[in-house]
Structures are given as C-alpha cells and as structure tokens.
Amino acid sequence: MTKALREMGEEYEKKEAILYYGAVFLLAMIGCFFFELEVKYMFIVIIAYLVFVPQIFYNQRKRTFEIRRFHDVNAYMSQMAQSFTRTGNVLHSLQETGNTFPEGKMQDVMIKAIDCMENGFYDVREAQKEAYKHIENYCGCEKLLNLHNFLFTAESRGGECATEFGILEKIRNVWEKAMWDYHKKLLFDRNLGVLLYAMLLGVCVFIIKSFPENLSIIELWGVQVVNAIMLILLITFFVLLDMRLNTSLLKEPNIMSKEKADLYYGYIKGYDEKKERRKYIIFPILMGILVVLWYLTDSTSSVLAVGIVLFVITLNMHKIIFKATVWNVKKELEKAFPKWLFDIMLLIQHNSIENAIFQSIEKAPPILHSELIRICDILVFEPKCADAYISFLADFNIAGVETAMRKLYSLSVGTGGDAEVMKVIIETNLTFLAKAEEKSIANKGDMSALVNFIPMIIVSLGMMAYCAALIFVSLSRIWAMFS
C-alpha cells in the first residue's frame, strides 16, 4: 500500500492510520456490544474489521488523488484553451497555464512539459509531442488528447480559433458536470446502502432483545455466529462500495468496438424476416414437441397456457433478436451522434461541410462509420444532395438527428446565416450531449438497485436464522415441560 500511495504522490501517515484503526475498532466494539457477542465471536469481528483498515485508508487517499487529478485536468484544459486563444502559441500557453497551478503533482508535470518545449531546439514539433506526453501520461484522458491534437493543428494552421475553443469549452463543461454528478451518485449510493444496512441491523437487535427471557435466543451459538457474520458483512459491504468511489473519473466509458458495430449494423441492414424465420424454425418445433409432451403428462390449463406462451416466444425469436439488436445499436447511436456533431462543428470552422464530414470519419465512434461512409459516397458525386443529410440514421428514428442534419444541409448550400445556424446547432446539441454523457457514464456500472437489495437479503437470511432458533427454543421448552 505504501508503494501505491507513493506512486500517487501520497505518503502513509502513521497518526492518520492510527485514527482509522481507532475509529474502526470502536465501531466493531459498538456492534458487538449491541448484539451481546461472546468474547470469542467479538474477537473474530474485531480482527475482521481491523483487516479492512488498510483498504479503507487507501480508498480515501486514492479518492482524494483522483478528485484532485480530475480537477487539475479540467483546470488545465480550460486555462490552456483560454491562453492559446489569446497567444496562439503552445509554449506561451503552457507557461501561463503552469503558473496557475500550486505546488504538487500537476505543477511538476507542467514544469517537465515546459522544459521539453524550451529545450526542443532540434525539432519543435517533436518537442511539443514530448511535452504533451508528460501531461497525458499523468492525466490519461481522451478529451485531453483531443485538445492537444487540436492545439497542434491550430498552431500549425494559424488564424482565429476562438470559436473552436468556445465549442471545446462547452463540451468540457458538459462532461465535467456529468462526471461530478456520477461521483455524487456513487457517494449517495454508498452512504444510503450502509445506512440501510445499519438500520436493518438495529431492527435485528430490537427483535432479538424483545423476546421474553424464557424464549431468549441471543446467547445461542448459532445466533451468535449469524450476528457475527452480519457485522462482518457490514464492513465488507462498506469497503466494496467505497472502492467504487476511488476509480478514475478521467477514464472514458467503453464504446462498442468497430467489429461489433459492423456486425450489428450489417445484420440490421441485411435483415430478411423470412430467411431469419427459417434459420430459427428448429426452436419453435422443439418447443412445440416439449409442450405437447408436458401437456400429456399434466393436462391442466396452466400447463397449456404456459406452453402456448413459450411456443409463441420461440416462434417469434427472430423478431425478438432483431428488435433487441436495433435497440442496442440505437442506444449506442444516441451516445455517439452528439459527440460526432460537435466534431463537425469544429471542423467546419476551416472546411466546407462536405470536407468536414469526410474528415470526421477517422475520429467518429465506430457505430457511425457505416452511415458516414454511405453518405460520403453520395456526397462525392452529389455534394449538395439533400437526401444524403436527411437520410442519415433515418432508419433508427433518433430524436434531434434529422433536425440537426437539415441545419447542416442549409449551411452546406448557404441558405441560412452561418453564425446563427451554427449557434442553434451547438446550443441544441448541448442538451443531447449532456444526455449522451450521462448514458455513457451510467454504463460504467449502475448498482443502485443492487446496493439497496443486498442488505435486505443478508438481514432476511439472518431473520430466518432467528426464526429457526426461536422454534428450537420453543420446542426445547415444551419438551422440558413434558419430560
């Protein structure tokens, strides 16, 4: 753990660690006191709690590091864009940005990057790439890579770039808010889950202490073991939820791979219902045979009803698979389209709409490649073809896509005020981008329902053990009366 902390620029402080051990030890003692655990079970619970202290300590430090790094990256991107808009020079912008950071890891990284730029007399571009690498290695953020690529291009090209940086800043703000909201949600889930678990344990204590003295079960070894296990699972549950909070806020959500996207898209475009029905016909046949055999052995209306439902499901399996695939692709497209559209907004500052679409393919999410290639093939021969724009993703009926593509078409043929139309597209797309970021981040793992469900399962099993113990005590008392 000490090595891992040092890699983050943190130190293991004994005084702080002692406080953690003391607090966890106290919590374990309180739990053992309320459940009236015997010394041997109390010892097991306390040891189990103390074993988790290093992980709790590490989680807290890792979380602090990730929050600070996320804050540093956002501050860097915002300040760098602002400085470059004014200076038009990467080195000067790095120097200005570096001066805004206090002593710490980010300032050290900035100093190394600036040194690379200042000493890069042999090749300015290579020195610039090396400087970027120092920052990218520390931050590990795709949006930072995009900013650096844009800075590289903007400095080489020269000219005004305030509009592009304004767009990048809007994108960054949406992403930053979505990530903070996600982190707050994880924190809320952890606190709510642990509070619910603690309250349920309180109910357990109240129940087992409410039994009459002649039916007391709290001292039975089985109940003691169950109570000790529930207390140990409480700290385990907390640590597992706490570990979710120390994951990187800069890591990009997983996107559908190109191979998978091409497979799904090809399946949807080439879907032939008759062919697919023949492909899956074996399933309804087998299900029909099973239903008949089942009904012959148990001729009831419920068996017949369930059998008919299962047969209908297998008969329409090809349709179910198709609709599920379309839904999956549509969900991915809803996340990908707003990001692609903002790339277009950046590219059209110095390119025609058609060229911007051609250039966007390389960086576009894989799920959009097939459609982009299709409309590019049309635009090569008919640059002003309205159908190429309007038909983009038309098969999936995604809200906002057709409207945005119509506005792009009006820009391409010059029928609308460029600045005004672009402003409308950007402002409208921000709403879609915010939703897309939320969906992408949610795919990292939403366990809200499970977080609330797990304590209920654990405590329910404990209650069942109490019932068994109560039955055992009651039968023992009755046996003693007649003996």
Side-chain angles (χ1 to χ4, degrees):
M1 184 184 71
T2 303
K3 182 181 178 182
L5 289 173
R6 284 176 181 170
E7 288 176 356
M8 296 186 295
E10 300 283 343
E11 292 293 334
Y12 179 79
E13 297 180 5
K14 290 184 178 180
K15 289 183 179 179
E16 188 175 356
I18 290 171
L19 289 175
Y20 274 88
Y21 276 104
V24 171
F25 176 79
L26 182 61
L27 287 173
M29 287 295 294
I30 291 172
C32 293
F33 170 77
F34 279 112
F35 279 105
E36 298 182 13
L37 295 186
E38 296 175 8
V39 174
K40 56 183 178 183
Y41 299 114
M42 185 184 297
F43 180 77
I44 293 171
V45 170
I46 291 172
I47 292 299
Y49 270 59
L50 294 180
V51 165
F52 280 110
V53 171
Q55 185 63 54
I56 296 171
F57 183 87
Y58 174 79
N59 287 350
Q60 192 275 330
R61 287 303 185 90
K62 181 72 161 54
R63 183 160 56 252
T64 301
F65 167 77
E66 292 296 346
I67 290 173
R68 183 173 64 245
R69 189 167 65 140
F70 184 73
H71 174 75
D72 286 345
V73 169
N74 277 281
Y76 168 80
M77 289 195 292
S78 181
Q79 182 61 41
M80 194 69 182
Q82 183 180 339
S83 297
F84 188 85
T85 302
R86 187 175 64 260
T87 65
N89 182 276
V90 170
L91 176 57
H92 294 163
S93 301
L94 278 173
Q95 291 169 336
E96 280 189 14
T97 303
N99 291 331
T100 63
F101 287 98
E103 289 186 10
K105 188 74 174 178
M106 189 64 182
Q107 189 188 68
D108 295 340
V109 171
M110 291 296 296
I111 290 172
K112 289 180 182 178
I114 293 167
D115 285 343
C116 282
M117 289 287 292
E118 290 178 336
N119 299 322
F121 300 111
Y122 57 96
D123 190 329
V124 175
R125 290 306 175 201
E126 285 301 316
Q128 190 176 103
K129 290 179 182 178
E130 192 66 27
Y132 286 159
K133 281 183 183 178
H134 284 293
I135 301 169
E136 290 163 6
N137 289 340
Y138 167 65
C139 300
C141 175
E142 184 180 336
K143 288 180 173 58
L144 189 63
L145 295 175
N146 294 337
L147 172 66
H148 284 167
N149 290 335
F150 187 78
L151 287 171
F152 191 92
T153 304
E155 188 177 47
S156 303
R157 184 188 65 214
E160 178 64 33
C161 57
T163 303
E164 292 99 315
F165 280 119
I167 295 171
L168 287 171
E169 183 65 9
K170 290 177 184 294
I171 296 171
R172 188 198 62 77
N173 285 333
V174 168
W175 171 65
E176 182 182 20
K177 182 180 183 303
M179 287 306 305
W180 279 129
D181 289 345
Y182 172 72
H183 184 76
K184 289 176 183 175
K185 184 177 182 300
L186 290 183
L187 184 63
F188 177 79
D189 286 347
R190 185 201 68 179
N191 295 341
L192 181 63
V194 174
L195 179 61
L196 175 63
Y197 198 147
M199 290 175 64
L200 290 173
L201 289 183
V203 172
C204 290
V205 172
F206 175 78
I207 289 173
I208 58 178
K209 289 192 174 184
S210 297
F211 294 146
E213 188 175 346
N214 61 332
L215 293 177
S216 178
I217 62 172
I218 198 168
E219 294 179 358
L220 294 178
W221 72 267
V223 174
Q224 292 271 308
V225 169
V226 167
N227 290 338
I229 291 173
M230 287 197 297
L231 284 173
I232 293 172
L233 289 177
L234 172 62
I235 190 69
T236 307
F237 184 65
F238 170 81
V239 170
L240 291 176
L241 293 181
D242 200 44
M243 287 174 67
R244 296 173 70 211
L245 280 163
N246 65 20
T247 54
S248 174
L249 293 170
L250 298 172
K251 184 179 179 181
E252 292 291 325
N254 294 328
I255 61 172
M256 187 179 289
S257 66
K258 188 178 188 310
E259 293 75 16
K260 193 173 181 180
D262 290 343
L263 180 65
Y264 281 6
Y265 204 84
Y267 168 70
I268 292 170
K269 288 299 180 181
Y271 179 75
D272 184 331
E273 187 172 334
K274 291 182 179 179
K275 183 179 177 181
E276 292 297 319
R277 183 186 294 115
R278 289 195 298 270
K279 181 179 176 182
Y280 290 98
I281 193 65
I282 186 65
F283 294 103
I285 292 173
L286 290 175
M287 182 56 68
I289 294 171
L290 290 173
V291 168
V292 170
L293 293 174
W294 188 17
Y295 185 71
L296 290 175
T297 57
D298 186 5
S299 303
T300 60
S301 56
S302 59
V303 169
L304 183 62
V306 171
I308 291 173
V309 171
L310 293 175
F311 178 75
V312 171
I313 290 173
T314 53
L315 187 64
N316 291 279
M317 185 177 290
H318 60 290
K319 293 182 181 179
I320 295 170
I321 293 173
F322 176 73
K323 289 184 181 298
T325 305
V326 171
W327 178 83
N328 199 13
V329 171
K330 183 176 179 179
K331 185 175 68 170
E332 196 72 16
L333 288 170
E334 287 173 345
K335 295 184 291 183
F337 178 75
K339 297 176 183 179
W340 171 80
L341 189 58
F342 268 116
D343 284 341
I344 292 293
M345 292 295 100
L346 291 171
L347 290 168
I348 63 177
Q349 303 302 315
H350 298 276
N351 296 277
S352 66
I353 299 294
E354 294 80 18
N355 285 336
I357 293 173
F358 296 150
Q359 293 179 32
S360 71
I361 295 177
E362 184 180 355
K363 288 178 58 182
I367 194 66
L368 289 173
H369 283 186
S370 295
E371 273 290 272
L372 287 173
I373 291 170
R374 182 186 66 80
I375 67 170
C376 283
D377 289 342
I378 298 173
L379 293 175
V380 166
F381 299 102
E382 298 180 71
K384 305 303 178 184
C385 177
D387 186 62
Y389 292 86
I390 296 170
S391 65
F392 186 66
L393 302 181
D395 293 340
F396 297 94
N397 193 29
I398 300 172
V401 170
E402 183 180 343
T403 302
M405 295 306 291
R406 284 183 181 278
K407 287 184 169 61
L408 282 183
Y409 174 71
S410 70
L411 283 174
S412 71
V413 296
T415 57
D418 289 3
E420 183 179 340
V421 173
M422 281 184 57
K423 183 179 179 181
V424 171
I425 295 175
I426 291 170
E427 294 301 325
T428 303
N429 199 42
L430 278 173
T431 303
F432 293 114
L433 182 66
K435 291 179 181 179
E437 289 288 357
E438 289 170 2
K439 288 178 181 179
S440 297
I441 293 167
N443 286 346
K444 285 185 172 185
D446 188 359
M447 297 173 58
S448 300
L450 191 60
V451 165
N452 295 328
F453 195 55
I454 288 175
M456 295 180 186
I457 294 175
I458 295 171
V459 174
S460 296
L461 293 174
M463 292 287 192
M464 290 171 64
Y466 293 165
C467 291
L470 187 61
I471 292 171
F472 172 77
V473 171
S474 300
L475 291 176
S476 298
R477 294 286 185 270
I478 294 171
W479 179 261
M481 289 174 61
F482 289 98
S483 297

